[in-house]
Each structure stands twice: as structure tokens, then as C-alpha cells.
Amino acid sequence: MRLLAEPRSAGVIGAPITVAWNAKEDLLDLLATARTRPDREQVRDLLYRFYRRCADADLPELQRLATTVETWWPEILAFLHTGITNAGSEGINRVFKTIARDAYGFRDPGNQRLRTRCATTRRARGHLDAR
């Protein structure tokens, strides 16, 4: 879904927001091809459309986003073809860091380890019925 076909019709203040929204949508269109076995030309066209919109926008935030996508492109391409991510391990790592931050100042490292282990069990995450 495109916010507006022509960004200039949004006015002076709304134009950068419209361009950023459309660039985000272009990137989401590219990422939506994951697990669909996209062919090379489809990926190339969607990536070009995203890069072109970022380059034409002349917004530092979009240029930084395009640079980040370019830096991580081998990993993004692997995700598009395999559909495999490390989201689960990243989520567990976030829980570890949150628990460690909450337990900061406790003198017993064993207590901190126990808190972390309890917070990351399947029961604590709601996977098992607690009856």
C-alpha cells in the first residue's frame, strides 16, 4: 500500500514522512519474499526500487538505512532464500540482559543465574499449562 503516489502532494512537512513511509514499504515488499523461493530478478528489482527511493529522497535517515541494508545484504539474502533467522536466540539474549539488569546489585551470582534460568524456561514463557 502506498501512502501517496506523489510525495509533493503531501505538503512541505509531510513530504519527508511520505517518502520514508514508501521506502519502508519497499523494504517490506522485499522482505515479504522470504520463504517463497524468489528468483534472482524479482529480488534484484525489489532491491533496486528500495535503493532508488532512498537515493532520490535525499534524507540522511534513508541513506543510513540503505547503507545498513547494503552492509547486511549477504545475511538478508540468506534469510530470503532459507527463511532461517536467529530471532529465537536474540529474544532469549534480551531476556538474559533484562534479568541481569534487574538483579544488578545482588551479591549472589548464583541467585542471578537462577533468576535468568527461571525466566527463560518454557513454563515462564507461557508454553506449558501451569495447572
Side-chain angles (χ1 to χ4, degrees):
M1 171 177 133
R2 297 286 175 247
L3 188 61
L4 293 171
E6 183 62 38
R8 287 182 210 91
S9 64
V12 175
I13 295 174
I17 295 170
T18 303
V19 171
W21 172 277
N22 287 332
K24 182 229 10 152
E25 290 295 318
D26 289 341
L27 184 58
L28 288 178
D29 289 344
L30 174 64
L31 296 177
T33 63
R35 299 182 185 100
T36 64
R37 298 188 187 271
D39 60 354
R40 200 174 208 145
E41 290 78 23
Q42 180 185 13
V43 172
R44 181 198 64 210
D45 292 343
L46 290 169
L47 184 63
Y48 176 79
R49 188 173 74 187
F50 168 72
Y51 281 148
R52 174 60 32 209
R53 190 172 310 267
C54 289
D56 290 345
D58 197 33
L59 291 173
E61 295 84 3
L62 287 182
Q63 291 171 358
R64 194 171 331 124
L65 176 60
T67 302
T68 301
V69 169
E70 183 180 4
T71 301
W72 286 93
W73 181 245
E75 290 81 3
I76 294 170
L77 186 60
F79 165 68
L80 293 178
H81 288 298
T82 65
I84 298 171
T85 69
N86 65 344
S89 61
E90 290 291 336
I92 295 294
N93 190 35
R94 183 191 58 80
V95 171
F96 284 164
K97 288 182 179 184
T98 301
I99 295 298
R101 199 174 311 121
D102 291 344
Y104 183 75
F106 289 119
R107 295 184 180 169
D108 184 8
N111 185 11
Q112 184 174 351
R113 278 193 302 277
L114 181 62
R115 285 172 170 249
T116 303
R117 189 168 186 161
C118 288
T120 57
T121 61
R122 293 178 70 80
R123 182 181 305 255
R125 293 184 313 211
H127 290 283
L128 297 177
D129 191 5
R131 286 187 254 182

